[in-house]
Each structure stands twice: as structure tokens, then as C-alpha cells.
Amino acid sequence: MISFAAAFGWLALAALAIPIAIHLIRRRAARDVPFAALAWLAARTPPRRQWRLDDRWLLAVRLLLIALLAALLAEPLWRSSGKADTAAVYVAPGIDANAARAAIDAPLADWHWLAAGAPSLDHPAPAADPRMLQSLIRELDRELPAATKLSIVVPTELAGLDGERLRLGREVVWRSLPAVSVSQELAPAAQPFRIAIRTASDQPVAASVARALSAAWQAAGIAIEVDEQPLGVPISKDSGLLIVSGSELDEATQALASNGLNLLLGDPDAKTGEVLLRDADGQPLLRRQAARIYALAGPLDPVAWPALLDPQLPAALLKLLRPAVPPRDRAPAVSVAPLRAAVDSAGPARPLTPWFALAIALLWLIERLLATRRRSEAT
Amino acid sequence: MSSLIPPEVRARLKSLRISSRLTPNGQGLGLHTGRGRGAGLEFAQYRAYGQGDEPRQIDWKLYARSDRYFVRDATRDSPLSVWLVIDTSASMAQADPERPAYARIDAARIIAACIAERAVQQGDGVGLITVGGRSTQGLPAAPGARHRDRLLLLLAGLVADGRDGARASPPLLSAQIAADALVIVISDGFDDSLAESCERLAAARRDVRVIRVLTVGENAFGFQGSQRFIDPESGRERTLDAEAARSGFLDRFGAARREQLRRLARHGVTSVEYLLDEPADAPLHQLFAARGRGA
């Protein structure tokens, strides 16, 4: 079965008009005939414009030659059509193999994990990589013979989807099952951003500023959990940010900071570090003291340091603390079922280009032969 | 021997006998029944013996019956003088596209060679005049193989080159061709003045035969597609579609051909048409078969 990888190559068929035009033009040139009985030829018979073609064989060979050239540009491929009754089931890793076997009634099918190398389902499940899922399915569609019935079992919710909807050249049985274990990859969006606030008890203003900051972030659509305690109370390990009124840190907190905790210090003393934000007058607002440790340029007190009320501060801080959330790449499996498209039909393909090139060379020889023979006859 | 005549044509020439409707009046001994009286096989008359007659010519049996001397006279067999008139106008160079090497003038050459060959074998004299060409060439009528070779040499050099405006003035045929001669005109018949001089010659006691050489294209008009037809003599041209023009041309030209045949016949000129795809001796057999063995 021949298919073409670059169907737009057929546009070259427009060149078929060239030999036809050549043959028409050469036809129209009237030949000279000496004719003494001219007086008996009717003068009024006009030379009828006849769309008749000379040298039909030559023209046919030339047309065929151009059609083959267009086919060559369209990159012909040969696919052997496999047996019609073969079936293959691919199960995404993360799904229980027995549940998948129960869900799809295809006892004679080949069962594989949907993973690189397509290991058999009898083997233990390979590591799941949701970003590879669509790519693997597209590859399957290409590689499997066109007649093979393809079934795919995927988790109910797919993650790591790319921007292009799946479009396959065959009908696919698309079944979704709940995944056995929710991988870590799928969790973080659901977790709220934990903020711990530790202020000295003699600075109630600092606590309210910290609360105002978190309220501003909450208003921006971030799920926030606030843990406000006096200074010295240990913080939980899954906190994302610690807001401290002073610059003194105990050892436990420093250990957490090196472990992924962000710190925001209201530290009027330290004036070193890279300036991250300035106010309208060019005065520093926010500094980076070390990795994950940010320091305000003044105390957490709007009365003592009015620049704290700068409206761009909460957004800038949020940007630093929580980098932009990656685009949504997850969807229910049902909603991303593969579409049937006129994608190059499936199956392992062998390029036919050399054979076409050979045929073109042969035809060209024949064309030259016909053309020169005709010329030598004319002379 | 000439190489002009194809072997198969030469083989058929044996049965050809060139003869004239008129009784020749030439000198010498020939095959044709002459007007003169003299020695011969065919009895003509008895006449009284007179001075100058040889005694052995006296018919002694008649003397025995009538007691007077009579001389037995026979019709004398005379040689015929055959004149070839060949048209060398440019239209004679026309050939069929299918057979470009065989133009009308080539056919005329072969026909003329056949006549010369045959006439010399019969002991007749052959002469040649070309008309319609850029120049007029000719040979007086004379018998003999050497004269025939001279004539063949002249024939081989004939060129059909007479165009309008470049044409020798037509020779006065009646001045060169003696009375009672056989005149064979080989032409394509597109020149009316030649037809007129044929009619005048026929009226002036010459046996005129016309062989009109036509190409296959003129007869069947088998051209196809758009063609530019060019008159070789006037240079006029006409571009038209051959298929569309065919029936009209065949009707008109066929009528013109029949009209010319009728007109020549009315003036006592026998004419035949020769198509270029026929063997070269066909018109000769046609011209001289009907009359059989002499008049």
C-alpha cells in the first residue's frame, strides 16, 4: 500500500500543463506545403483552431514523467498491510495491570506498557513519565501496521499534556481507569501556600503588616494558610515562607531555610545585598541577602518606614516567592480522547524514493528516444 | 542504356507500341503505314510502268493477263517523328509530402525516357521541347540510339524553375514540330496557354496527346490539420485547415479536371491523367492501347 509523506508535493502536478502547452503550440505552427492547385482552394475556409495534440505517445510519456516527479516530491512510502485480526493493548504505567486486563476484553491481544520500548504487561510497571504519554501514543500510531486494532488504557486524569490534541490515523479504543497511586507530580497544585509569621510581641504593627501581605496575596487568588505565633515558636516543616520581624534566626529555622523555606526579614540593620526592588524615589525597598533570604530595607512598621506602603511590594514579593505556575497541562482522559484525523496512515513505512527515481530515469530515456526519433524522421 | 527507367517499367515497355492517328510522311523506313508509295508489304495500287521503274517491279502475272506492263505499288512504312513537350514550370517540382523525392518533373523524365526508348526501338525519331521554364531547351527529332542518349542527357538535367515573371517566352511549337508528328505533352495542366497551344497544334494536323501529372495530394487531398499552401509559381499562399477545405476542394478541382479533359477531347486532343503513385508507364499504355496496331 503506497502512501505519501508530503502530500503537498502533488502540487507539482500543475506542471502537467507545460508539456500539453508545448504540444499545442508546436501543433499550431502551420506546415508549408507547395500546392499548385491553389486556385481551387476556398479562400474563406479559416484555419480552424484545433486543440489537437501531436505525438500522443511522446506527450503521454512526458505527462507520466511529470506525474512521477510530483509523486517523488510527495515522498512515496510503502506500507505492508498487516493481518487484520491483530490487536494491541497499551496500558499507561500507574494503572494496575489486572484492572486493565479486566477493563478491556481482548484476550488474544498483545499487552504492553505504554512506555519507551513497550515492555510486556507481564513485566513490572516501568517508571511513569506523563510528559511522554502523548508522544508515545503518536509513535505507536506510526509504527503499528494500519490493520492492528489499538486499545489504550490511561489514568482518569492525564498530566503533562502538550499543546496539540492527539490526532491519530486509526480508530483507537480509549479507556480510562483510576490510577493506583497519585504521583508527586500531580499533587502540588492542591496544596496551599503556608506562611508562618513570627513577630516579637512588642511589635504588634509588624504582625498586622505580615497579615496584610498575606491578605493581599490571598486576594490575588493564592490559597494561603497563615500560622501566626510569637517569635521563638518552631515552624512546621511544610511552610513555604517565614516572615520574621527581626534579623535574628535560630538554628532550626536556618536549617529549614537551606531546605527550601523562604525567609522575609524586616531588618533595618543589614544594608547589604542585591537590591531587588526600589520605590518611586529610587530608594531600595527589598534586598536579597542570600538564596531564599529576602530582607526589607526598613522595619515592618509603616509609621517608621512609610515606603513599606508601596503598592508594588506585595506583587513583587509574590513573584519572587512563588514563581509563575506552569500552564495547565492536565485534563480528564475522556476529554482528550484521540481524534480521528487524516494523519498519514499508520504502519512501518519503507521509502519508495529510489524506485521512483529509477522509473523517472527510465521514462526520461524513453522520452529522449521518442523525441529524437521524431526529429530524425522529420528531417 | 538509361538508368532513368525502373526495371519493372522497362519490362512492361515491350508491349507498348507508339503509334499516331495520322499517317506519317517521313523519309526512311519505319514501322508505320506511310503516305508514300513504294516498296512494302501492304498492297496499295497498280500503276502503268513508266520510265525510271525497275523492270523487276513489273507484275508479270498481270502482264500475262492484260498484255500491258503494270507496276505493283505498296504503301511505304514510314518512321514517325515523336515530339516530347515537357512543362518545366515550378509547379512541376511539386511532390507529395509522403514521397518527396518523386516530383512531377521526375515522373515526366521517366515517362519521356520510356517514350524515347520505345520510339528508338521502333525506328522513329524523337525530339524534345521544354516549355514554361526559365529557359527553353530542345532537341530536334531524330532517330538512333545516340540521339536517344543525347535526349536522356538533356532530360536528366531538366529543372522545373519557371515562375511567374521569370519565364521564357513560349516557343512557337508549330514552327518546330512538323505536320503529321506525334506530340506528347507532359504537364501538370495548370497553365492554360499550354492547353491552348495543344489545341492549335491538334487543329494543325498534329496528333497531340497530353499526360497530365497530378500529385496524390491534389487527387485525394489527404492533408491534415492547419497547413500553409503555397503556390510555387506565383508565391501566393493560403493558410487553412485541411479537413475543412477537403470536400470543397475535391469538388471544385474534380470539376475543373473533368472540364479540361472534355475541352481537350473536343479539340481532338487525347489526354490522360497520371497520379504520382501509379507506375510511370501506366499513362502510356492507356494512351496507346486503344488504338491497337496502328491506324
Side-chain angles (χ1 to χ4, degrees):
Chain A
M1 191 171 62
I2 290 184
S3 60
F4 295 93
F8 53 83
W10 287 114
L11 288 179
L13 281 182
L16 286 179
I18 296 172
I20 294 177
I22 288 174
H23 281 243
L24 281 175
I25 288 168
R26 288 169 67 109
R27 171 82 204 174
R28 251 184 285 157
R31 271 170 293 173
D32 289 357
V33 178
F35 200 71
L38 197 72
W40 291 275
L41 273 176
R44 282 196 303 276
T45 317
R48 189 161 33 126
R49 177 64 55 87
Q50 269 189 325
W51 294 110
R52 279 185 40 187
L53 295 166
D54 260 347
D55 312 307
R56 282 155 191 270
W57 279 110
L58 184 61
L59 179 61
V61 169
R62 284 177 173 166
L63 290 179
L64 191 60
L65 190 63
I66 287 186
L68 275 183
L69 275 172
L72 187 72
L73 287 179
E75 292 182 31
L77 299 169
W78 176 260
R79 284 206 172 85
S80 52
S81 45
K83 280 175 281 178
D85 54 350
T86 56
V89 181
Y90 284 79
V91 181
I95 291 174
D96 183 31
N98 293 326
R101 284 189 203 275
I104 292 202
D105 178 34
L108 295 176
D110 293 334
W111 294 80
H112 297 280
W113 289 112
L114 185 53
S120 167
L121 204 61
D122 303 328
H123 297 293
D129 186 357
R131 285 188 192 83
M132 293 293 292
L133 189 82
Q134 279 177 301
S135 167
L136 282 168
I137 293 174
R138 291 192 187 104
E139 190 185 335
L140 275 183
D141 183 43
R142 289 258 170 174
E143 296 291 319
L144 288 179
T148 303
K149 286 182 191 126
L150 181 58
S151 309
I152 298 175
V153 185
V154 289
T156 324
E157 190 182 69
L158 291 179
L161 298 173
D162 53 27
E164 176 73 13
R165 182 83 184 265
L166 274 176
R167 286 168 207 279
L168 303 184
R170 67 178 81 209
E171 290 297 338
V172 172
V173 178
W174 183 259
R175 193 65 53 81
S176 60
L177 290 176
V180 177
S181 59
V182 176
S183 64
Q184 289 296 317
E185 202 85 32
L186 299 181
Q191 286 188 350
F193 189 44
R194 288 179 191 278
I195 301 178
I197 301 176
R198 297 288 182 269
T199 50
S201 50
D202 59 335
Q203 289 180 310
V205 187
S208 57
V209 166
R211 274 198 301 275
L213 265 179
S214 46
W217 294 337
Q218 210 151 17
I222 310 291
I224 288 192
E225 216 169 73
V226 180
D227 164 32
E228 185 183 348
Q229 299 286 345
L231 203 61
V233 176
I235 60 170
S236 65
K237 281 191 161 89
D238 54 351
S239 296
L241 174 67
L242 173 66
I243 303 180
V244 194
S245 60
S247 56
E248 305 86 30
L249 296 171
D250 54 7
E251 283 177 13
T253 312
Q254 268 172 341
L256 277 176
S258 62
N259 229 352
L261 174 73
N262 293 301
L263 289 169
L264 180 60
L265 313 173
D267 182 21
D269 302 332
K271 300 296 183 203
T272 57
E274 176 196 3
V275 176
L276 295 174
L277 191 66
R278 291 174 189 276
D279 64 1
D281 302 328
Q283 295 299 314
L285 274 179
L286 188 65
R287 283 196 171 87
R288 191 203 302 272
Q289 285 200 331
R292 294 177 183 279
I293 299 180
Y294 306 96
L296 290 169
L300 277 172
D301 186 352
V303 180
W305 186 45
L308 185 62
L309 297 178
D310 195 293
Q312 51 174 329
L313 190 62
L317 266 174
L318 183 64
K319 212 171 176 181
L320 287 170
L321 300 173
R322 277 180 63 99
V325 183
R328 293 182 165 273
D329 63 347
R330 59 196 65 237
V334 183
S335 65
V336 291
L339 299 178
R340 184 81 162 85
V343 184
D344 182 18
S345 93
R350 208 152 41 90
L352 286 178
T353 316
W355 297 106
F356 271 65
L358 194 67
I360 286 169
L362 269 177
L363 265 182
W364 182 74
L365 269 180
I366 294 173
E367 190 265 350
R368 282 295 88 201
L369 227 95
L370 281 176
T372 48
R373 190 199 63 179
R374 188 183 151 275
R375 204 170 302 146
S376 59
E377 270 176 8
T379 52
Chain B
M1 282 296 139
S2 129
S3 58
L4 266 179
I5 308 172
E8 70 274 9
V9 172
R10 183 182 294 280
R12 286 193 294 267
L13 277 186
K14 298 265 187 292
S15 61
L16 180 70
R17 192 188 133 90
I18 294 174
S19 58
S20 168
R21 266 195 298 277
L22 306 170
T23 48
N25 196 18
Q27 301 300 311
L29 209 60
L31 287 177
H32 308 274
T33 311
R35 194 174 301 150
R37 306 280 175 253
L41 298 174
E42 208 70 21
F43 171 78
Q45 63 175 1
Y46 287 116
R47 76 176 155 78
Y49 173 76
Q51 202 167 2
D53 288 330
E54 285 190 45
R56 57 179 183 162
Q57 285 183 317
I58 294 171
D59 192 327
W60 292 109
K61 286 180 178 167
L62 191 61
Y63 167 73
R65 275 184 271 143
S66 62
D67 201 19
R68 297 183 64 169
Y69 297 113
F70 282 103
V71 173
R72 187 187 171 97
D73 259 2
T75 57
R76 202 174 56 194
D77 282 346
S78 294
L80 188 63
S81 55
V82 181
W83 279 90
L84 295 164
V85 177
I86 296 181
D87 183 2
T88 54
S89 60
S91 57
M92 286 294 282
Q94 182 182 331
D96 279 310
E98 296 82 35
R99 199 179 168 192
Y102 190 62
R104 276 198 260 254
I105 189 73
D106 301 310
R109 254 184 221 123
I110 296 176
I111 295 171
C114 289
I115 294 169
E117 189 73 31
R118 205 51 205 140
V120 167
Q121 283 170 8
Q122 290 178 182
D124 298 330
V126 202
L128 172 72
I129 303 176
T130 67
V131 293
R134 195 186 289 266
S135 60
T136 299
Q137 291 167 296
L139 268 182
R146 294 187 63 178
H147 182 74
R148 176 203 62 195
D149 292 343
R150 271 196 294 275
L151 190 131
L152 290 179
L153 195 66
L154 182 60
L155 274 179
L158 282 190
V159 185
D161 55 0
R163 288 169 205 286
D164 288 357
R167 211 191 284 277
S169 56
L172 192 57
L173 292 179
S174 54
Q176 300 194 34
I177 301 174
D180 298 322
L182 170 65
V183 182
I184 299 173
V185 181
I186 307 173
S187 164
D188 51 16
F190 292 117
D191 189 0
D192 277 339
S193 67
L194 184 59
E196 278 165 23
S197 34
C198 289
E199 289 158 12
R200 276 199 301 275
L201 273 178
R205 231 181 65 195
R206 276 90 172 174
D207 185 1
V208 183
R209 317 277 175 105
V210 175
I211 298 173
R212 185 172 191 186
V213 186
L214 291 174
T215 65
V216 181
E218 284 162 350
N219 185 53
F221 206 74
F223 302 104
Q224 282 176 345
S226 179
Q227 307 264 15
R228 184 159 61 193
F229 296 99
I230 302 172
D231 183 7
E233 290 183 35
S234 64
R236 282 182 302 140
E237 57 183 57
R238 207 162 277 179
T239 304
L240 36 77
D241 184 70
E243 279 94 345
R246 179 176 298 144
S247 68
F249 169 79
L250 288 181
D251 287 350
R252 279 187 296 274
F253 190 53
R257 279 157 62 182
R258 283 190 296 278
E259 169 58 27
Q260 191 174 41
L261 287 179
R262 260 202 303 277
R263 178 180 148 191
L264 287 171
R266 214 164 40 233
H267 289 83
V269 177
T270 314
S271 54
V272 292
E273 286 181 345
Y274 166 64
L275 295 179
L276 282 185
D277 57 349
E278 295 171 345
D281 58 329
L284 297 176
H285 285 291
Q286 209 178 330
L287 270 182
F288 295 107
R291 313 271 324 162
R293 293 192 57 82

